[in-house]
Amino acid sequence: MKAAPFSYHAPQSVEDAVGLLSTLENARVLAGGQSLMPMMNLRLAAPDHLVDINRVPGLAGLRIGAGRIEIGAMTRQADLLASDDLAAAAPIFRAALKHVGHIQTRARGTIGGSCCHLDPAAELPALCALLDAQFEAFGPNGSRAVAARDWFRGYLESALAENEILCAIGFAPWPSGHGFGFHEVARRHGDFAVAGAAALLARDETGATKRAAVVVFGVEPAPVRLAAFERAIVGRTIDEAAIEAASEAARKLDAMGDAHVGADHRRRIGGVVVARALREAAGMNGGAK
Amino acid sequence: MNRKRIVLRINGRACEAEVDVRVNLADALRHVFGLTGTHVGCEHGACGACTVIVDGRPARSCLMLAVQAEGADIETIESLGEPDRLSPLQKAFQDKHALQCGFCTPGMLMTLEAFLRENSAPTREQVREVLSGNTCRCTGYQAIVDAAMQAAHARRSAT
Ligand code: FES
Ligand code: FES
């Protein structure tokens, strides 16, 4: 189908964008359009006003500093995938981005759009949860930073107010040489995952864990960190018993079920992808470092 | 605010038109600019039939508004070859019987055209991954991958 009629606005600044969102009724922000446009074409969404932020300067781009990485909300997924600097500083991004949609959707799709739409199976919001990212929002009262733990409000729901826009996402990179693993199971490559997991691991010379982060996505309405496991593993090595403990935690999640994948199956796959991501992060079973 | 004038380049030519703001790029190419080679399948980003190259990258033209193409450089299937002068990629599709009904073919070709410009020595696995966003209901894909590999080879020998 075709999108229902709407008025189109192309503001040239974040202030103008926020002004429009504050005054117009039933307005939606158009970023990369890879989720909103299908919803509009299917008439699942019928905004009266579309506020296209593609021409707002300053919203796209990567700033990689020593202790902080900042990604502009309008940075295209294809640009993130292509960035060697990002792959060096936070290699989990390249591992994950290969699973984000398809070549044609990555060309337009943005990290900010993905983090505002919040499909439960989306990879980039899961990475933001994994990295304890901060979301920089701009609204009528200026800027505010939202921590990842407060950003995810539930199914397709972020902490962004209706008259705010997301400008950037920032996080502190892990020490160089850290282990990372990313794994997801999807029915076809590029489809939304049944379940996925990502893991980061910093270890000392003896192989004991200094710090670990594990996130599971696609299972509950929002990405979930395995916080109890992350705490318990500090000071210990990742062995088969530890991996089983992490899998078990994933299998206890409150999984969603749908017409294609039942909740039990989704929980089971959650356990499998957590084990694979952790093995990869720990360099076990020939997994990438 | 419901109609807007746009200026853009399509297949190397400067073009200008006034469009309804709700019209997507695929429909504008077909109905406003008369370039009906770009096919429209699902209209919600699932099939890839509508793929065109936007500023050097393959994109789904059903998920972009025509007004968003203001100032962009668009390449469509019409920019490849002519029936009696096929591009090497089109020739490879013909040689390998990589199409049956042909509905998916413009999207396949534009996706591969953009991809092969950046990667002239892909593996079969990479080609399969790149085509994961293009659905074909006829061929079973093997012949399409064969054609992509032949086209990649032709591109390498030509340079
Ligand atoms: S018509 Fe655009 S992806 Fe199917
Ligand atoms: S040739 Fe018929 S859909 Fe691909």
Side-chain angles (χ1 to χ4, degrees):
Chain A
M1 278 195 296
K2 317 289 179 193
F6 53 81
S7 299
Y8 175 80
H9 310 265
Q12 303 286 326
S13 70
V14 285
E15 289 80 6
D16 288 352
V18 164
L20 287 165
L21 292 172
S22 302
T23 48
L24 299 170
E25 284 291 317
N26 190 21
R28 292 289 293 264
V29 174
L30 176 62
Q34 303 302 291
S35 301
L36 181 56
M37 288 296 301
M39 285 164 60
M40 287 172 60
N41 288 354
L42 291 165
R43 305 223 176 168
L44 296 172
D48 291 319
H49 298 275
L50 212 48
V51 178
D52 180 356
I53 57 170
N54 280 270
R55 294 189 194 264
V56 175
L59 288 182
L62 264 165
R63 286 168 293 276
I64 302 189
R68 188 166 170 88
I69 295 177
E70 213 173 90
I71 304 176
M74 286 300 290
T75 312
R76 311 282 167 186
Q77 293 152 2
D79 289 319
L80 294 176
L81 182 57
S83 167
D84 291 333
D85 292 339
L86 182 64
I92 191 80
F93 270 92
R94 188 164 279 176
L97 278 156
K98 295 189 177 144
H99 297 273
V100 176
H102 308 281
I103 190 172
Q104 301 97 339
T105 59
R106 290 191 297 263
R108 302 277 310 159
T110 64
I111 185 170
S114 175
C115 287
C116 292
H117 179 60
L118 287 190
D119 189 285
E123 294 85 357
L124 293 172
L127 291 196
C128 293
L130 180 75
L131 290 157
D132 293 310
Q134 290 90 45
F135 295 84
E136 309 288 339
F138 184 85
N141 303 319
S143 301
R144 67 180 179 122
V146 183
R149 65 175 175 283
D150 301 322
W151 182 256
F152 299 92
R153 288 280 174 83
Y155 185 72
L156 299 183
E157 194 187 343
S158 78
L160 198 71
E162 277 183 2
N163 56 3
E164 283 181 319
I165 63 169
L166 177 63
C167 294
I169 294 160
F171 61 91
W174 281 47
S176 76
H178 67 270
F180 64 95
F182 184 93
H183 206 91
E184 71 173 46
V185 170
R187 297 168 86 225
R188 289 167 303 193
H189 183 94
D191 279 12
F192 277 122
V194 174
L200 298 174
L201 213 52
R203 291 183 289 184
D204 66 20
E205 322 70 53
T206 68
T209 306
K210 289 207 292 203
R211 186 177 159 208
V214 183
V215 70
V216 188
F217 59 94
V219 175
E220 292 198 359
V224 200
R225 288 277 292 273
L226 301 183
F229 170 80
E230 293 172 5
R231 278 193 301 274
I233 198 67
V234 170
R236 295 171 44 206
T237 53
I238 303 275
D239 53 14
E240 286 303 328
I243 286 171
E244 180 45 35
S247 286
E248 183 57 28
R251 284 194 296 268
K252 292 218 176 82
L253 294 177
D254 189 8
M256 303 174 292
D258 59 41
H260 301 292
V261 188
D264 278 342
H265 183 56
R266 188 161 261 138
R267 263 191 290 275
R268 204 176 80 80
I269 299 295
V272 170
V273 289
V274 162
R276 289 181 184 167
L278 261 177
R279 280 210 178 87
E280 206 172 299
M284 293 160 73
N285 289 5
K289 184 175 67 89
Chain B
M1 252 181 295
N2 291 331
R3 283 181 76 76
K4 208 167 172 267
R5 191 146 205 94
I6 55 169
V7 179
L8 69 168
R9 285 186 87 72
I10 304 175
N11 300 332
R13 276 205 313 273
C15 298
E16 202 180 330
E18 191 178 280
V19 293
D20 260 351
V21 295
R22 72 170 175 139
V23 166
N24 67 41
L25 178 59
D27 284 340
L29 288 169
R30 291 175 57 85
H31 305 308
V32 179
F33 298 106
L35 297 169
T36 52
T38 298
H39 289 173
V40 176
C42 65
E43 298 191 306
H44 64 268
C47 73
C50 66
T51 304
V52 299
I53 301 178
V54 180
D55 294 328
R57 282 179 173 166
R60 294 184 177 335
S61 58
C62 72
L63 298 189
M64 222 180 128
L65 297 172
V67 287
Q68 294 189 291
E70 162 75 30
D73 197 343
I74 309 288
E75 295 166 73
T76 69
I77 182 71
E78 285 86 354
S79 69
L80 297 186
E82 299 284 324
D84 52 351
R85 204 167 33 82
L86 296 179
S87 81
L89 180 60
Q90 289 171 313
K91 182 75 174 59
F93 266 61
Q94 185 183 56
D95 289 351
K96 297 291 181 187
H97 308 292
L99 61 149
Q100 288 178 29
C101 78
F103 192 82
C104 69
T105 313
M108 292 279 178
L109 289 170
M110 296 318 283
T111 302
L112 286 169
E113 176 67 24
F115 173 69
L116 293 175
R117 279 182 202 163
E118 310 279 324
N119 309 272
S120 59
T123 62
R124 284 188 76 88
E125 204 38 55
Q126 286 169 324
V127 169
R128 294 176 64 92
E129 199 175 310
V130 131
L131 292 179
S132 66
N134 293 77
T135 303
C136 176
R137 296 286 76 167
C138 304
T139 64
Y141 302 98
Q142 303 299 334
I144 294 175
V145 179
D146 293 344
M149 296 308 283
Q150 175 181 317
H153 185 262
R155 201 173 267 270
R156 286 198 302 279
S157 331
T159 51

